[in-house]
Amino acid sequence: MGCDIHTVLQVKKRAKWETVATDIFTGRNYALFSVLAGVRGGEEPIATPRGYPAGFEVMDDDCHRVTDAGGFIDSYWMGDHSHSWLTVAEIVKCDFDDPEEEYTKCLGYIVAKAMIVAYENALELEEVRIVFGFDS
């Protein structure tokens, strides 16, 4: 049985975090999972899992409440373990040894998506974060 990642991209607007995208990375890359949260690999994590960030809406079944621009409410499952979050600023300040490593390419993909959102919303990198969890 494999392990998958569940991701939410959030931006901080008017002192409140808003979800703008889900599933920003859907691949299965254990080196990436290890770098993000120490899950399934031998890489040093950027930060040990922190749990959900303050104010992150999660229902009893680890589902995050997502509201779209039209006010439609849906839920997105965040996985069942190793929940954490990182700002884009935290990710980009890390020094990764080998740009050819697959997890470095995956992080680049995630950061590129997040930076586009930051640019489109005139936000600093500290105002864009990735919240994630894993399933087994």
Side-chain angles (χ1 to χ4, degrees):
M1 183 174 188
C3 179
D4 295 305
I5 190 170
H6 304 269
T7 54
V8 169
L9 182 64
Q10 292 192 309
V11 298
K12 191 173 187 178
K13 292 183 176 179
R14 297 176 297 282
K16 184 178 177 188
W17 289 97
E18 300 175 11
T19 298
V20 294
T22 59
D23 284 332
I24 60 168
F25 181 80
T26 57
R28 184 176 284 172
N29 184 299
Y30 293 151
L32 172 67
F33 299 175
S34 182
V35 166
L36 290 175
V39 172
R40 296 273 182 123
E43 304 296 333
E44 183 71 26
I46 295 170
T48 57
R50 304 168 169 169
Y52 294 119
F56 188 77
E57 286 189 64
V58 181
M59 298 174 272
D60 291 339
D61 54 358
D62 280 319
C63 285
H64 171 58
R65 188 179 312 253
V66 179
T67 306
D68 68 12
F72 176 75
I73 296 176
D74 198 1
S75 63
Y76 176 75
W77 188 50
M78 294 300 299
D80 54 14
H81 66 88
S82 305
H83 301 105
S84 195
W85 57 276
L86 293 166
T87 65
V88 175
E90 290 175 296
I91 297 171
V92 298
K93 78 176 185 180
C94 292
D95 181 26
F96 297 105
D97 295 334
D98 188 352
E100 293 304 313
E101 285 287 340
E102 191 63 30
Y103 72 83
T104 306
K105 294 175 186 175
C106 294
L107 274 175
Y109 175 79
I110 292 168
V111 167
K113 281 185 158 185
M115 290 179 97
I116 290 168
V117 169
Y119 177 78
E120 290 174 343
N121 291 278
L123 298 170
E124 300 293 325
L125 296 183
E126 294 83 11
E127 298 172 305
V128 182
R129 72 181 177 193
I130 299 157
V131 183
F132 50 88
F134 302 88
D135 66 39
S136 298

